[in-house]
Amino acid sequence: MTGTTDRRVTANLALTLDGRYHGPGGPSDFGLFVPYVTSEVARDHLTRIHEGATTALLGRVNAEGFMGFWPAVAGDAGADPRDRGYAKWLVDTEKVVLSTTLTEAPWERTRVVNAPAADVVAGLRAEGGGDILVNSSASVIKPLLAADLVDRLYLLVLPEIAGGGGRLFEDGLPSTGWALSRQETGELGEMAVIYDRVR
């Protein structure tokens, strides 16, 4: 495509052993996840996911949750420095929120787009530089995986079977190959892994 850059699309998500990104109680059921997402390995992983990223691509629900939580962390001197680093990045970086209901962006450095994720990524790749990070927004990651547009996966795999809840890797995805670039295991048995798409 003319005018495209080499911007990578990266995606971050925590998953249970059975591939769930939330529990059977619905999108706000994160009880199983809590002990793991604040571990040393998880916090180091959080630092890695935004290195090199200059754009955050989010779904509306995640954007509302993130922007209701992280700005306060950015200014909290008592917070873990890794959490503060991510929070400051999120507040300061360009944010693109996919939404069919928002008409204007309620946050600074944010634009709202009502378009398919693949089209938005194509537009972002044609402008600027740096990675485009889809952080914990399964509603955005899924269509990008379906279109084979994800270049790197940052996964935090938890030693739990949820038994229900949203599943990231659903039947019907294209067959793709991935190379393990990094793996780190925490004291609770959680694994932070980075997979790069083999093209």
Side-chain angles (χ1 to χ4, degrees), residues 2-196:
T2 304
T4 57
T5 64
D6 292 329
R7 301 188 79 180
R8 289 187 309 180
V9 176
T10 66
N12 173 61
L13 204 58
L15 297 174
T16 59
L17 286 177
D18 53 342
R20 314 290 181 164
Y21 55 87
H22 64 71
S28 61
D29 182 1
F30 292 110
L32 286 176
F33 294 70
V34 173
Y36 304 100
V37 297
T38 57
S39 72
E40 291 298 304
V41 163
R43 283 190 158 124
D44 288 343
H45 191 61
L46 183 68
T47 298
R48 284 189 291 274
I49 67 170
H50 67 89
E51 288 176 344
T54 56
T55 302
L57 180 58
L58 301 160
R60 176 190 58 82
V61 173
N62 272 71
E64 289 175 342
F66 283 10
M67 298 314 290
F69 175 78
W70 287 108
V73 176
D76 181 358
D80 186 285
R82 293 162 293 186
D83 293 350
R84 278 202 321 272
Y86 170 75
K88 185 172 183 343
W89 173 83
L90 183 64
V91 169
D92 292 344
T93 200
E94 172 194 33
K95 291 168 284 294
V96 178
V97 177
L98 300 184
S99 176
T100 58
T101 56
L102 286 177
T103 54
E104 59 184 50
W107 314 286
E108 293 182 2
R109 290 173 285 286
T110 305
R111 56 186 157 132
V112 175
V113 181
N114 181 358
D119 293 348
V120 173
V121 161
L124 289 171
R125 278 186 155 158
E127 61 187 53
D131 291 348
I132 302 160
L133 170 62
V134 187
N135 193 7
S136 299
S137 292
S139 65
V140 180
I141 299 171
K142 285 182 177 187
L144 294 180
L145 284 171
D148 192 16
L149 290 174
V150 178
D151 301 303
R152 170 170 278 192
L153 283 169
Y154 293 93
L155 300 177
L156 184 68
V157 182
L158 316 181
E160 302 276 353
I161 293 177
R167 191 187 296 275
L168 179 63
F169 302 112
E170 297 176 344
D171 288 349
L173 287 175
S175 177
T176 54
W178 298 80
L180 180 64
S181 298
R182 184 182 180 106
Q183 175 185 340
E184 189 176 0
T185 305
E187 293 182 357
L188 300 174
E190 75 280 18
M191 281 197 312
V193 295
I194 301 174
Y195 283 106
D196 286 314

